Amino acid sequence: MKNDLNNLMEINIQEFQDDLITWFKNEQRDLPWRKDQDPYKVWVSEIMLQQTRVDTVIPYFLRFIEWFPTIEDLAEANGDKVLKAWEGLGYYSRVRNLHSAVKEVKEKYNGVVPSSPKEISNLKGVGPYTAGAILSIAYGIPEPAVDGNVMRVLSRILSIWEDIAKPSSRKVFEQAVRELISHEDPSAFNQALMELGALICTPTSPSCLLCPVREHCHAFDEGVQNVLPIKTQKNKQREVQLAAVVLSNEKGDLLIHKRPETGLLANLWEFPNLEINHPIQNNRDEIARLFEKDLKLNVAMDRMIGQVEHVFSHLIWNIKVYTGKISSDFIENTEWKFVSLDDTENYAFPVFTLKIIKLYKDYEKE
């Protein structure tokens, strides 16, 4: 069991590359961002795939490219439309950073994604993994693209006992890729490592008997493939109780609120909501008083129509959903507006609000 890269000396790197790339070219999934090696499409796909499953990403990617076929289209797009295209994918800072970065590419690089590691790494939201993925996949530059998948695969192949949850461990794996990567076809090599982690060298119960590089794998040889990688557990998510209210005016339109420009779920629309910290606040009248005190909304609460849960990486929101009426003297502004239920389709909402909309539509049908 070694914590360094000594096991690299025991691998025939050329055979490893050949076995891995041959398998990839024969077995790779038919994914829309693999149709060509357009740097923009590679970039969009890699941002979408962060912390999101491939099957989930595919329809979003197709719609996003349909709406914004080129860097110029995305750079010139309205921010609300960009958020709408991303609606439901979560981690919205990813698309806000992408939008900012493509504007810089349009202005500074004439719409061409830079092929220099230094220049591409200076773009907003482009970290070491994304930079390496774009440079290797789109431009054929032998740069490492190390994510959790790749760290898991290499921890087993090279029997690396570093904790992959620690940021400092990334350097070990980046160095390993630099030693192993094919300079003839870095695009296929990096994609093959990712594909191997997704299809064969999975987090639990890896399919070692199907693995194209099993003969090179030290963990398989030592019988520790189910022990590696070493990964410490994250802190437990904090649970938060909230109340949200679907407020209608005399016309039946619904009041929505735009979240601040920074912070969690920035610039997305939602129904009025607030945190509930005390059991007595489950009382409808008490909740109405809180909405008046904290959000300056004069509301008449109707009834609770259900509850939705939304899970973040660090939080779990448990949201009780109410209906109610808003006073007729409420004045709209840039942050608050009335929309019909049908018109909610034209606004970008976080997933928890989409759940509330569905709950409300079901309630209205009753």
Side-chain angles (χ1 to χ4, degrees), residues 260-329:
E261 292 184 356
T262 58
L264 187 66
L265 305 174
N267 279 334
L268 295 171
W269 292 87
E270 64 184 359
F271 293 114
N273 63 82
L274 45 74
E275 190 170 334
I276 303 297
N277 297 309
H278 193 276
I280 196 173
Q281 293 172 347
N282 285 324
N283 178 282
R284 282 184 308 169
D285 294 334
E286 179 65 19
I287 290 173
R289 283 191 288 271
L290 285 173
F291 274 104
E292 184 171 1
K293 175 186 173 186
D294 293 357
L295 299 180
K296 308 299 186 258
L297 297 176
N298 185 6
V299 306
M301 301 292 283
D302 183 7
R303 55 170 290 193
M304 192 179 93
I305 61 171
Q307 188 164 329
V308 301
E309 180 184 85
H310 189 65
V311 179
F312 298 91
S313 58
H314 61 302
L315 291 171
I316 299 176
W317 281 1
N318 294 303
I319 309 165
K320 290 186 176 178
V321 181
Y322 296 82
T323 57
K325 296 288 189 294
I326 184 78
S327 61
S328 58
D329 59 353

Side-chain angles (χ1 to χ4, degrees), residues 328-358:
S328 58
D329 59 353
F330 184 85
I331 300 174
E332 296 179 84
N333 55 43
T334 55
E335 295 179 3
W336 295 89
K337 65 170 57 181
F338 286 104
V339 298
S340 70
L341 186 57
D342 289 340
D343 279 347
T344 57
E345 296 287 337
N346 299 319
Y347 294 84
F349 294 106
V351 169
F352 81 90
T353 303
L354 296 176
K355 293 176 181 176
I356 292 174
I357 290 173
K358 183 179 184 304

Side-chain angles (χ1 to χ4, degrees), residues 174-191:
E174 286 179 346
Q175 183 56 37
V177 174
R178 290 191 187 280
E179 296 286 340
L180 291 170
I181 195 168
S182 164
H183 285 243
E184 287 71 36
D185 197 349
S187 174
F189 180 87
N190 274 349
Q191 290 183 86

Side-chain angles (χ1 to χ4, degrees), residues 105-364:
V105 169
K106 180 177 182 288
E107 294 166 7
K108 192 172 179 180
Y109 302 107
N110 297 315
V112 178
V113 180
S115 58
S116 153
K118 182 179 180 182
E119 289 175 340
I120 200 169
S121 296
N122 284 334
L123 296 173
K124 194 168 186 179
V126 178
Y129 168 77
T130 305
I134 297 169
L135 292 171
S136 61
I137 296 170
Y139 289 120
I141 297 170
E143 283 289 313
V146 173
D147 65 355
N149 257 353
V150 171
M151 286 193 282
R152 180 175 65 255
V153 169
L154 291 182
S155 71
R156 289 169 176 164
I157 289 170
L158 298 175
S159 191
I160 298 174
W161 292 74
E162 300 282 348
D163 182 353
I164 67 171
K166 292 182 178 178
S168 58
S169 298
R170 177 177 294 275
K171 294 295 183 185
V172 175
F173 291 95
E174 286 179 346
Q175 183 56 37
V177 174
R178 290 191 187 280
E179 296 286 340
L180 291 170
I181 195 168
S182 164
H183 285 243
E184 287 71 36
D185 197 349
S187 174
F189 180 87
N190 274 349
Q191 290 183 86
L193 278 183
M194 300 171 197
E195 196 82 336
L196 191 69
L199 301 181
I200 303 292
C201 199
T202 50
T204 57
S205 303
S207 303
C208 296
L209 297 181
L210 300 177
C211 180
V213 291
R214 184 180 67 243
E215 293 181 4
H216 308 277
C217 182
H218 284 80
F220 179 77
D221 188 53
E222 297 165 8
V224 293
Q225 66 270 22
N226 289 312
V227 179
L228 290 168
I230 302 299
K231 184 178 182 181
T232 53
Q233 296 298 311
K234 293 181 180 179
N235 294 332
K236 189 177 179 182
Q237 294 154 310
R238 182 170 66 90
E239 291 200 29
V240 179
Q241 309 299 318
L242 296 99
V245 60
V246 182
L247 292 169
S248 57
N249 61 14
E250 64 276 5
K251 290 169 53 181
D253 291 338
L254 308 178
L255 182 65
I256 59 173
H257 168 252
K258 194 170 192 178
R259 294 178 66 90
E261 292 184 356
T262 58
L264 187 66
L265 305 174
N267 279 334
L268 295 171
W269 292 87
E270 64 184 359
F271 293 114
N273 63 82
L274 45 74
E275 190 170 334
I276 303 297
N277 297 309
H278 193 276
I280 196 173
Q281 293 172 347
N282 285 324
N283 178 282
R284 282 184 308 169
D285 294 334
E286 179 65 19
I287 290 173
R289 283 191 288 271
L290 285 173
F291 274 104
E292 184 171 1
K293 175 186 173 186
D294 293 357
L295 299 180
K296 308 299 186 258
L297 297 176
N298 185 6
V299 306
M301 301 292 283
D302 183 7
R303 55 170 290 193
M304 192 179 93
I305 61 171
Q307 188 164 329
V308 301
E309 180 184 85
H310 189 65
V311 179
F312 298 91
S313 58
H314 61 302
L315 291 171
I316 299 176
W317 281 1
N318 294 303
I319 309 165
K320 290 186 176 178
V321 181
Y322 296 82
T323 57
K325 296 288 189 294
I326 184 78
S327 61
S328 58
D329 59 353
F330 184 85
I331 300 174
E332 296 179 84
N333 55 43
T334 55
E335 295 179 3
W336 295 89
K337 65 170 57 181
F338 286 104
V339 298
S340 70
L341 186 57
D342 289 340
D343 279 347
T344 57
E345 296 287 337
N346 299 319
Y347 294 84
F349 294 106
V351 169
F352 81 90
T353 303
L354 296 176
K355 293 176 181 176
I356 292 174
I357 290 173
K358 183 179 184 304
L359 188 68
Y360 183 72
K361 285 181 176 178
D362 291 342
Y363 165 72
E364 286 288 283

Side-chain angles (χ1 to χ4, degrees), residues 28-47:
Q28 64 177 295
R29 289 170 291 180
D30 182 18
L31 302 175
W33 45 88
R34 288 178 176 163
K35 300 299 183 186
D36 53 41
Q37 292 179 302
D38 180 347
Y40 168 60
K41 293 176 184 174
V42 172
W43 187 3
V44 170
S45 70
E46 290 298 340
I47 297 297

